[in-house]
Amino acid sequence: KLYKQLNCPLVMLDTLTLSVKNKNLYLATFASVLGPMSFGFVLGYSSPAIPELTRISDPRLRLDSIQASWFGSIVTVGAAFGGLLGGWMVDKIGRKLSLMFCSLPFVFGFTVIIAAQNVWMLYLGRVLTGLASGVTSLVVPLYISEMAHERVRGFLGSCVQLMVVLGIMGVYLAGLFLDWRWLAICSSIPPTLMMVCMCFMPETPRFLLSQGKRREAEEALRFLRGPDAPVEWECARIEDACDEQGSSFHMSDLKDPGVYKPLVIGFMLMVFQQMTGINAIMFYAENIFEEAHFKESDLASVIVGLIQVVFTAVAALIMDKAGRKILLIISGVAMAISTTAFGVYFYLMSKLHTPTVSLSILMLDIQSKAGEEPHANLAWLALASMAVFITGFALGWGPIPWLVMSEIFPHKVRGFASAVCVLTNWGLAFIVTKTFQDMMTLLTSAGTFWLFASTCILNVLFTIAFIPETKGKTLEQIEATFRGTSGP
């Protein structure tokens, strides 16, 4: 019906898309992904800052081990609330304004850290930057997916995770040369730039159309697609999809398979991402490097960050060719193998000592006897496992859950459903981080990593059975897939 109204038969669609110019789209994406870079700085900040703050001469700012743990993990609490706030903001004030506003708690948070006179000011700064990170992790994937042409949406959507890991590596590198206050000053630069750059970028056409602003939506599309692109046809296609599903979300909509199916998939993607063991591996990265006789643990963090950046970039480049599903499967298999190998490593290490030894004691014992050849050989097993794991995670389960989350939800539930996913992700990140030591004690080190391996196997099976391939499809076609109709 739609194609006939617009005198635009299906055979012409490929010809029409050839007139699309993506230069301004890349510019808008760059402006928005300064947000993920900012929360990469937030996530990575604690790694170089905590050692300094535990040794600082000022007793009001000095952190003990429990305070240091909270300084690292309280960000995830702020981010979980940020996800809820972001879900409300994107529907009320739009994607662009939400992004501009979330730069404020980034800057205020780092300012509070810079001016900190006691530990509670440090906590407040971390909560504020965490809140901004939660909003950013919801809004930016939505902003990009609603702007992007379907042929480059996978590449641009993967840039979110790429900028996060670039931010983490950037703060690790800066931490080699700067103290914790100057590091906080540097970390406030990307969100400030984002606010300035976003002033010149458009709101997403889909949000503008949902507000009945057809003329502004066409102008936004001309900016994003170029002057010769078929913007009237694209606007009509989006409006047609919006008319089919209605304009506003009600809780009764959760009975609709077009709503609950993608919501369950998005929720499970976030659960599986956190249950792969990524936080555990990153937490013990420095110890593993030390066992393998890498004396510079700061440099080790930079190497881990570099591996993440390289393979997240590879994933972004091949996303629109390989597809989401196959990369998730490869990623899950790689992580299952590496976490199993980690479990074997810890099991063999425990056999060299007492069978019930805890990981923290084991790490100390390993470091005290690092010259022994069997230990060195086993340390290289751990190092290889970690490299495979980080590579696997960066190729699939790092970027793709956020990308798929931004693609699969119908427009009217995008704010609510994305908030559920972000809350789940950050809430689980906090729980896994805070309970990890207890898991190690209860299940032993080997048992914990074998538990992670089993969840990696489950996520592969879940991907094969339930996750649809979204490569090359418009957002409206993806919505139609879940509704069981043929989309525009």
Side-chain angles (χ1 to χ4, degrees):
K1 168 187 146 188
L2 180 66
Y3 300 113
K4 287 176 184 173
Q5 288 173 349
L6 293 163
N7 298 314
C8 181
L10 283 168
V11 291
M12 289 176 62
L13 296 188
D14 279 343
T15 309
L16 285 169
T17 56
L18 291 177
S19 60
V20 171
K21 305 288 189 295
N22 286 316
K23 183 182 70 173
N24 285 342
L25 173 59
Y26 294 140
L27 196 63
T29 301
F30 172 76
S32 65
V33 293
L34 288 169
M37 175 177 267
S38 303
F39 93 74
F41 272 78
V42 172
L43 292 176
Y45 179 79
S46 59
S47 185
I50 284 174
E52 280 190 68
L53 289 168
T54 53
R55 297 190 303 264
I56 197 168
S57 58
D58 187 345
R60 295 173 303 168
L61 291 171
R62 195 181 303 131
L63 303 178
D64 60 30
S65 59
I66 294 170
Q67 289 170 329
S69 169
W70 277 104
F71 183 80
S73 61
I74 203 167
V75 163
T76 55
V77 178
F81 285 108
L84 293 176
L85 178 63
W88 176 81
M89 285 171 68
V90 288
D91 286 337
K92 293 296 180 187
I93 63 173
R95 285 64 165 147
K96 175 182 172 176
L97 278 178
S98 297
L99 259 183
M100 292 176 71
F101 277 126
C102 82
S103 64
L104 296 176
F106 271 127
V107 176
F108 288 155
F110 280 118
T111 304
V112 170
I113 290 172
I114 293 160
Q117 299 298 309
N118 55 50
V119 171
W120 288 103
M121 285 184 76
L122 292 175
Y123 287 166
L124 176 61
R126 292 290 281 169
V127 169
L128 284 172
T129 54
L131 185 79
S133 298
V135 176
T136 303
S137 62
L138 183 146
V139 179
V140 176
L142 285 192
Y143 183 74
I144 291 172
S145 73
E146 291 190 359
M147 283 194 311
H149 192 270
E150 54 268 20
R151 292 190 174 179
V152 292
R153 194 177 62 237
F155 166 66
L156 296 179
S158 300
C159 287
V160 173
Q161 182 71 8
L162 177 61
M163 293 302 275
V164 173
V165 294
L166 266 173
I168 291 171
M169 192 181 76
V171 83
Y172 284 170
L173 276 170
L176 297 175
F177 309 103
L178 301 173
D179 73 3
W180 62 278
R181 276 202 165 102
W182 276 105
L183 201 56
I185 292 169
C186 287
S187 298
S188 62
I189 294 171
T192 307
L193 279 175
M194 178 181 72
M195 177 175 251
V196 173
C197 292
M198 285 304 299
C199 291
F200 305 99
M201 298 303 136
E203 179 56 88
T204 70
R206 282 172 176 80
F207 179 76
L208 291 169
L209 286 170
S210 73
Q211 302 298 301
K213 299 177 179 178
R214 170 82 187 226
R215 188 175 59 80
E216 290 93 330
E218 287 185 5
E219 286 173 4
L221 277 170
R222 281 195 186 90
F223 176 83
L224 295 166
R225 304 281 189 265
D228 301 323
V231 293
E232 294 84 0
W233 167 75
E234 191 166 348
C235 276
R237 185 186 71 183
I238 296 166
E239 281 179 324
D240 196 56
C242 289
D243 290 342
E244 274 189 47
Q245 60 176 269
S247 58
S248 59
F249 168 66
H250 305 284
M251 292 307 286
S252 58
D253 291 328
L254 292 174
K255 298 174 185 175
D256 177 4
V259 173
Y260 73 73
K261 283 181 182 177
L263 182 57
V264 169
I265 287 172
F267 173 80
M268 292 307 296
L269 280 170
M270 296 306 172
V271 170
F272 280 129
Q273 187 193 54
Q274 286 302 323
M275 289 304 294
T276 55
I278 180 62
N279 287 315
I281 303 280
M282 298 306 287
F283 188 76
Y284 282 104
E286 288 191 10
N287 301 75
I288 291 162
F289 271 103
E290 283 169 14
E291 291 168 60
H293 307 298
F294 283 83
K295 301 300 181 189
E296 298 290 333
S297 60
D298 290 344
L299 190 60
S301 297
V302 175
I303 292 169
V304 169
L306 187 61
I307 294 172
Q308 282 190 302
V309 168
V310 168
F311 286 97
T312 306
V314 170
L317 291 171
I318 64 174
M319 190 68 67
D320 287 307
K321 293 183 175 66
R324 286 67 157 153
K325 194 162 183 168
I326 189 68
L327 286 176
L328 280 176
I329 292 167
I330 292 168
S331 172
V333 169
M335 290 190 298
I337 292 167
S338 55
T339 44
T340 302
F342 258 120
V344 171
Y345 161 74
F346 285 123
Y347 178 76
L348 292 175
M349 288 306 302
S350 68
K351 291 300 178 186
L352 291 173
H353 302 271
T354 56
T356 57
V357 70
S358 75
L359 181 61
S360 54
I361 297 168
L362 177 61
M363 288 294 184
L364 290 172
D365 202 15
I366 290 165
Q367 287 162 26
S368 67
K369 300 180 180 179
E372 294 179 23
E373 191 60 33
H375 294 187
N377 289 340
L378 286 175
W380 280 102
L381 168 65
L383 200 61
S385 300
M386 186 176 68
V388 172
F389 182 89
I390 293 170
T391 300
F393 184 81
L395 278 175
W397 280 91
I400 294 176
W402 298 106
L403 171 61
V404 171
M405 177 197 82
S406 70
E407 294 178 321
I408 60 176
F409 299 132
H411 185 275
K412 65 178 177 181
V413 297
R414 214 161 269 161
F416 168 79
S418 299
V420 169
C421 289
V422 173
L423 178 65
T424 302
N425 189 287
W426 288 105
L428 269 176
F430 175 75
I431 292 166
V432 169
T433 307
K434 293 303 286 183
T435 61
F436 182 60
Q437 288 288 0
D438 296 330
M439 283 173 65
M440 295 295 237
T441 306
L442 184 67
L443 301 174
T444 74
S445 308
T448 301
F449 279 90
W450 286 333
L451 173 65
F452 291 142
S454 64
T455 59
C456 289
I457 293 166
L458 280 176
N459 74 38
V460 171
L461 297 175
F462 178 79
T463 302
I464 293 168
F466 298 111
I467 296 180
E469 181 53 74
T470 57
K471 174 184 74 170
K473 294 181 180 178
T474 66
L475 298 185
E476 289 69 40
Q477 287 170 332
I478 296 165
E479 287 175 28
T481 303
F482 287 110
R483 287 200 309 269
T485 60
S486 58

